[in-house]
Amino acid sequence: MNLKNSLNNLQFDNRFIQQLPADLETKNYCRTVLEASYSYVLPKKTNQPKLVSYAKEVAQLLGLDVKECETPLFTQVFTGNKLLEGMQPYACCYGGHQFGNWAGQLGDGRAINLGELLTNKGEHYTLQLKGAGITPYSRRADGLAVLRSSIREYLCSEAMYHLGVPTTRALSLALTGDSVVRDMFYDGRPQEEQGAIVCRVAPSFTRFGSFQIYTTQGNIPLLKKFVDVTIRHDFPHLGSPCKQTYLTWFTEVCQKTALMIVHWQRVGFVHGVMNTDNMSILGLTIDYGPYGWLDDYNPNWTPNTTDAGESRYRFGNQPQMAYWNLVQLANAIYPLIEDVELLQQALKVYTDSFEQQWNKMMINKLGLAIYDPKTDEGLINDLLRVLQLVETDMTIFYRNLALLNIDQPNLEQLSDEVLLKPLIEAYYQPNKLTSEFKQQIGNWIRLYIKRVRQAEISDNERRLRMNAINPRYVFRNYLAQLAIDKAESGDFSMVEALLALFRHPYDEQMDKAYYAEKRPDWAKTRAGCSMLSCSS
Ligand code: AMP
Ligand code: MG
């Protein structure tokens, strides 16, 4: 079996468009699309496309010979200028609740699916260009993407993957050679920026809003057809679609979503726009827009300026928002199940599995194996309280907590000051650590020592476990901005350096310690580093 195909050898099996109804209008203008799941549309030709970067792991996943990524054909295909045999580009129709309100038809406004690649292993992957021009779903926008947001999507998708967080992937990042006008903060200061295209890859890009659209249109036959196709393609292990399968399917979506959110909370990722059109049916992190990473542990933080007022999608609210979104999905599929109680039971699976997995994740972050509610509820709650008393870098805190020498007898009898020492690097303003604070963290550390001793875990074992779940390197907001600043002036070295760094986020990497440092002061209030808008 040849696992390394050339571009021209890739096989496409476009099941989605074969099995779902197409929009009969084939002209490309913005409109409401009814009775259809997608519209045929061609990517816009780009002027002077230039490949910036590609992810070799994604090429390998697709069974594409990595050498092919360096060819002119690759650049042409993944900037929309050429189609490979078997590609049939289309944009999907979907709706969504945006910030709690039903927004009607949204759809792929600037994403064009090239086709479903069928790998030699029999797996399907949809290849999608983001920023490839207008589609019937572009509403009043231009269908394009700028370099800064494309770098953010490209690097974050891959960083998340290597961190072990379920996510869509990114094959390539290219400049189009065309300029795009954006008013970054919607304050009347539009600027020309460089256009770019990311090729995203996922088994499917179906969203909660892909189902909601049919129910709100009153098109239950198409809703049923869409659910059936989703189950056959994306959940084949569930068997033939029927009422019972619909429930099992929804339950699995609840579980997958819970797992994704647990991972977000584990690494400090804040999505920023958890609208139902940005929720993947496969529980993948999707649509990297104004997301951010926690520097200091602050459950109230949101990176998205559009959400600054209510902070609906703040870090600490993500679990509740995912639940809210699942309720909307339950409402959408209700006509196929017609039993509120059964849907509520499935929703409870979300709450239960989230709680169970979150407890396990938190206890693993502390290097412990088994969650014991008697001791651990208090231990975890107290830690999360203490982490908020002063500005504490979340990533550094957990990494450095592993350094405590708990094997050392009588460690707990040492002073607060001494116990705190391994953690000092995590504090943004070490000179502001009052004796009252030191006492609080000291007491928590003593509680922790007691718990570790009770579990009889050696420092060695604890460190190994902690360093496998607490990353050393995350995609800090300011790192993204530094890479963008350089790239905008034509230097893509930092994009490549970060891509390489994030391949091994849990490993100590020689000479890369500066990438693990806490956010510098200048980045605290700079646009792009702590504040992002949806304008991309
Ligand atoms: P987002 O907030 O990025 O998830 O986008 C919400 C909706 O707006 C989706 O239907 C997007 O496809 C669409 N959209 C966002 N940006 C653009 C753009 N530049 N051109 C066309 N449609 C867009
Ligand atoms: Mg979106």
Side-chain angles (χ1 to χ4, degrees):
M1 193 160 51
N2 177 18
L3 295 175
K4 286 184 176 178
N5 291 298
S6 68
L7 282 163
N8 283 316
N9 281 343
L10 293 176
Q11 297 288 316
F12 289 89
D13 176 24
N14 302 320
R15 304 175 298 176
F16 188 91
I17 56 172
Q18 279 155 18
Q19 288 167 35
L20 289 163
D23 175 10
L24 297 178
E25 174 64 273
T26 51
K27 284 200 211 86
N28 191 4
Y29 63 93
C30 296
R31 59 184 177 268
T32 299
V33 173
L34 295 170
E35 319 264 327
S37 302
Y38 60 92
S39 307
Y40 288 110
V41 59
L42 290 174
K44 183 180 177 221
K45 292 267 184 291
T46 49
N47 208 354
Q48 268 192 309
K50 185 171 167 276
L51 184 69
V52 170
S53 180
Y54 62 88
K56 62 173 194 273
E57 296 84 357
V58 182
Q60 281 156 356
L61 181 73
L62 300 177
L64 176 65
D65 188 343
V66 173
K67 288 202 290 288
E68 290 283 294
C69 302
E70 313 254 350
T71 62
L73 179 61
F74 182 91
T75 305
Q76 293 295 334
V77 170
F78 294 107
T79 53
N81 281 356
K82 272 201 181 130
L83 293 176
L84 296 174
E85 201 181 314
M87 286 180 165
Q88 284 175 289
Y90 60 97
C92 291
C93 180
Y94 53 78
H97 276 88
Q98 295 186 319
F99 299 96
N101 303 305
W102 176 247
Q105 177 185 298
L106 298 166
D108 286 335
R110 56 160 163 183
I112 298 183
N113 304 283
L114 296 172
E116 286 176 75
L117 186 134
L118 176 62
T119 69
N120 300 39
K121 293 183 186 161
E123 296 159 335
H124 287 78
Y125 288 104
T126 301
L127 308 183
Q128 184 183 81
L129 301 184
K130 185 165 175 182
I134 64 158
T135 76
Y137 310 97
S138 298
R139 295 177 291 164
R140 281 182 301 278
D142 56 11
L144 304 174
V146 294
L147 180 59
R148 67 184 147 85
S149 65
S150 304
I151 290 176
R152 286 171 50 83
E153 168 122 27
Y154 176 73
L155 286 178
C156 200
S157 310
E158 290 308 289
M160 292 283 267
Y161 168 75
H162 293 292
L163 282 164
V165 185
T167 179
T168 62
R169 305 292 299 274
L171 172 65
S172 58
L173 165 68
L175 287 167
T176 59
D178 301 311
S179 62
V180 175
V181 176
R182 284 288 179 274
D183 185 358
M184 194 182 351
F185 284 104
Y186 307 116
D187 59 358
R189 288 184 297 164
Q191 286 192 355
E192 274 201 1
E193 298 189 42
Q194 299 173 67
I197 295 180
V198 169
C199 176
R200 307 199 288 189
V201 174
S204 130
F205 287 95
T206 298
R207 301 130 192 278
F208 291 8
S210 310
F211 303 89
Q212 291 181 284
I213 188 82
Y214 305 123
T215 314
T216 54
Q217 288 170 349
N219 193 344
I220 307 308
L222 186 47
L223 169 72
K224 181 175 180 313
K225 188 165 201 168
F226 199 92
V227 172
D228 290 357
V229 166
T230 302
I231 291 174
R232 273 199 222 100
H233 293 177
D234 299 323
F235 298 79
H237 53 280
L238 296 181
S240 306
C242 65
K243 213 174 227 188
Q244 183 52 46
T245 322
Y246 297 150
L247 256 183
T248 333
W249 165 67
F250 179 63
T251 310
E252 192 174 324
V253 175
C254 289
Q255 285 165 329
K256 286 195 144 91
T257 306
L259 182 64
M260 173 184 79
I261 303 287
V262 167
H263 279 293
W264 290 3
Q265 306 307 98
R266 171 174 69 84
V267 298
F269 175 79
V270 192
H271 184 284
V273 209
M274 290 176 69
N275 293 332
T276 57
D277 54 305
N278 291 339
M279 294 292 292
S280 143
I281 203 69
L282 289 171
L284 304 173
T285 314
I286 192 173
D287 279 15
Y288 291 90
Y291 67 81
W293 292 78
L294 286 188
D295 288 310
D296 54 301
Y297 180 79
N298 175 3
N300 291 322
W301 184 69
T302 173
N304 185 356
T305 50
T306 316
D307 188 27
E310 201 190 331
S311 296
R312 181 180 170 87
Y313 298 136
R314 61 189 180 274
F315 178 72
N317 215 27
Q318 296 190 124
Q320 284 75 12
M321 286 299 101
Y323 181 83
W324 192 91
N325 289 336
L326 284 163
V327 171
Q328 307 316 311
L329 179 61
N331 287 336
I333 61 168
Y334 172 79
L336 304 184
I337 294 172
E338 293 178 309
D339 189 324
V340 175
E341 216 163 286
L342 290 176
L343 283 165
Q344 273 167 350
Q345 279 170 18
L347 284 165
K348 189 154 183 309
V349 170
Y350 170 82
T351 326
D352 292 348
S353 68
F354 177 80
E355 193 181 302
Q356 201 192 353
Q357 295 182 89
W358 188 82
N359 285 335
K360 183 160 192 324
M361 175 275 287
M362 286 302 294
I363 217 69
N364 290 163
K365 276 180 92 65
L366 298 178
L368 296 156
I370 298 163
Y371 176 79
D372 178 353
K374 283 199 300 297
T375 47
D376 300 345
E377 193 182 340
L379 184 73
I380 293 170
N381 286 344
D382 206 37
L383 169 63
L384 297 182
R385 181 185 64 79
V386 174
L387 281 178
Q388 292 171 68
L389 293 176
V390 294
E391 246 185 294
T392 314
D393 191 89
M394 172 177 159
T395 307
I396 299 177
F397 180 88
Y398 284 107
R399 240 359 234 211
N400 285 19
L401 189 63
L403 300 175
L404 281 181
N405 285 316
I406 299 184
D407 287 349
Q408 179 188 327
N410 304 327
L411 180 70
E412 66 276 29
Q413 286 165 18
L414 299 178
S415 68
D416 299 327
E417 192 86 34
V418 176
L419 284 178
L420 180 63
K421 248 192 187 138
L423 298 171
I424 208 78
E425 197 194 337
Y427 295 102
Y428 278 88
Q429 293 164 302
N431 55 342
K432 295 222 170 124
L433 303 178
T434 61
S435 57
E436 198 211 335
F437 170 76
K438 286 180 186 167
Q439 199 183 355
Q440 300 230 24
I441 184 77
N443 286 342
W444 183 83
I445 294 172
R446 287 184 193 93
L447 205 62
Y448 176 56
I449 295 171
K450 193 169 152 214
R451 177 68 178 89
V452 172
R453 295 237 168 98
Q454 179 204 341
E456 297 181 357
I457 300 173
S458 71
D459 279 343
N460 238 348
E461 188 187 345
R462 188 174 55 89
R463 280 178 196 142
L464 281 175
R465 199 177 279 156
M466 289 175 83
N467 291 349
I469 186 174
N470 298 318
R472 170 85 167 129
Y473 304 99
V474 293
F475 195 19
R476 291 177 184 274
N477 313 308
Y478 86 92
L479 289 177
Q481 195 53 45
L482 287 178
I484 289 166
D485 288 344
K486 284 194 169 172
E488 285 183 338
S489 58
D491 174 2
F492 296 102
S493 58
M494 193 164 167
V495 171
E496 225 44 59
L498 290 177
L499 183 67
L501 179 79
F502 295 141
R503 286 197 171 109
H504 306 285
Y506 297 98
D507 297 350
E508 205 63 55
Q509 297 182 41
M510 294 301 251
D511 309 328
K512 303 278 176 66
Y514 53 95
Y515 284 128
E517 279 168 14
K518 54 184 178 271
R519 174 201 61 220
D521 278 346
W522 61 260
K524 196 167 174 182
T525 48
R526 213 200 119 178
C529 296
S530 58
M531 299 174 292
L532 291 136
S533 76
C534 285
S535 164
S536 55

